[in-house]
């Protein structure tokens, strides 16, 4: 069992098994070039440097386990316990990675490799609500700045009041048992893990997100993250 002075063990699951279709490169998004290295190097290095994380499991596309392990070794990312084949959807990839997390883990932090600029501060913020016993999960959020419209086809149906709407990011933190339960059902439609925990009856807290946690979707996002490096 891995645990140290800061208390119960925290395992991180890095979802990196997407194909990166919208990026349109000749390799998966996790291996797209970012600052002269594979993109995956950035979140791996940052998880390694985060004092709150004890161990890391990485889900990668089929056939990319070996390159991921070699990359972790090159980076000296000793917290990486295994690199496994992900699933057809993000939630299935997370589920496969969570299978590798030992029962002793108290908390599981789920992060998207597609948000490379992970900072220890936001990790600390999402872990904090879980200590009190009142919350089973915590997510970083940002206020919406654009006006939000509901549409049908190309026509505006309604302008939505955005005062109580936020955008959710990763890393998201969960009590390990709660996340395992939440991943036990039908996960196909889920775009984040918090939605599964909410559906399973878990209480999810919000904490301040980080505008630097830009999600790489298209090439322009990759260029933006490169500038922010
Ligand atoms: N992801 C995953 N397994 C999948 C699909 C996605 O682990 N089967 C991960 C991605 O690697 C990414 C995160 O979930 O870190 C968010 O997914 P997204 O941004 O949609 O990445 P991709 O699915 O790779 O991109 P695209 O949808 O353009 O193919
Ligand atoms: Mg996708």
């Amino acid at each position: 069992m891995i645990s140290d002075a800061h208390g119960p063990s925290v395992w991180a699951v890095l979802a990196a098994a997407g194909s990166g279709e919208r990026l349109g490169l000749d390799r998966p998004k996790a291996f797209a070039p970012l600052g002269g290295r594979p993109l995956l190097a950035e979140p791996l290095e940052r998880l390694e440097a985060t004092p709150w994380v004890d161990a890391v499991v990485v889900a990668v596309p089929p056939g990319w386990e070996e390159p991921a392990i070699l990359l972790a070794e090159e980076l000296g990312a000793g917290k990486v316990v295994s690199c496994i084949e992900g699933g057809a959807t993000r939630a299935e990839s997370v589920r496969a990675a969570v299978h590798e997390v030992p029962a002793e883990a108290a908390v599981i932090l789920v992060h998207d490799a597609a948000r490379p600029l992970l900072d220890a501060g936001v990790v600390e913020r999402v872990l904090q609500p879980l200590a009190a016993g009142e919350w089973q999960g915590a997510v970083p959020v940002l206020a919406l700045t654009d006006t939000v419209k509901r549409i049908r086809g190309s026509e505006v149906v309604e302008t939505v009041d955005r005062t109580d709407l936020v955008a959710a990011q990763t890393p998201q933190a969960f009590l390990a048992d709660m996340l395992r339960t939440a991943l036990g059902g039908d996960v196909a439609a889920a775009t984040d893990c918090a939605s599964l925990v909410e559906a399973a009856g878990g209480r999810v807290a919000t904490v301040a997100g980080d505008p630097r946690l830009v999600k790489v979707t298209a090439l322009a996002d990759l260029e933006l993250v490169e500038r922010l490096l």
Side-chain angles (χ1 to χ4, degrees):
M1 173 177 166
I2 299 178
S3 73
D4 53 43
H6 74 68
S9 71
V10 176
W11 280 59
V13 159
L14 192 57
S19 57
E21 204 145 299
R22 288 167 289 180
L23 214 46
L25 300 178
D26 60 354
R27 69 200 87 168
K29 194 191 289 186
F31 294 88
L34 177 67
R37 317 187 288 181
L39 179 147
L40 182 61
E42 203 62 38
L44 279 182
E45 206 168 65
R46 287 160 177 266
L47 282 170
E48 190 67 27
T50 302
W52 323 105
V53 171
D54 296 304
V56 179
V57 178
V58 189
V60 295
W64 289 86
E65 300 91 332
E66 195 70 28
I69 289 164
L70 289 175
L71 178 63
E73 279 172 4
E74 249 174 64
L75 295 168
K79 289 181 187 175
V80 175
V81 171
S82 57
C83 297
I84 55 118
E85 180 180 326
T89 64
R90 178 190 184 276
E92 285 166 315
S93 295
V94 171
R95 180 155 61 191
V98 166
H99 273 143
E100 303 293 311
V101 176
E104 303 88 69
V107 170
I108 299 176
L109 185 82
V110 183
H111 185 59
D112 288 337
R115 300 182 191 271
L117 301 180
L118 178 65
D119 179 84
V122 72
V123 174
E124 186 177 10
R125 290 200 292 281
V126 290
L127 291 176
Q128 206 172 11
L130 302 187
E134 187 186 347
W135 306 98
Q136 287 79 50
V139 297
V141 299
L142 292 178
L144 300 179
T145 51
D146 292 324
T147 300
V148 180
K149 312 268 186 204
R150 190 180 314 282
I151 59 169
R152 191 180 302 123
S154 54
E155 184 183 353
V156 173
V157 176
E158 182 193 1
T159 297
V160 181
D161 180 6
R162 70 174 186 214
T163 48
D164 58 359
L165 294 180
V166 292
Q169 303 178 309
T170 71
Q172 302 186 346
F174 306 98
L175 296 182
D177 292 345
M178 185 73 233
L179 182 61
R180 287 181 204 276
T181 303
L183 288 167
D186 179 15
V187 300
T191 55
D192 77 351
C193 291
S195 61
L196 297 169
V197 168
E198 295 151 29
R203 296 190 70 212
V204 178
T206 61
V207 303
D210 184 343
R212 288 171 51 92
L213 278 170
V214 176
K215 187 170 179 195
V216 173
T217 303
L219 272 179
D221 307 316
L222 196 60
E223 287 159 14
L224 171 59
V225 170
E226 183 120 26
R227 287 197 296 276
L228 292 171
L229 272 179

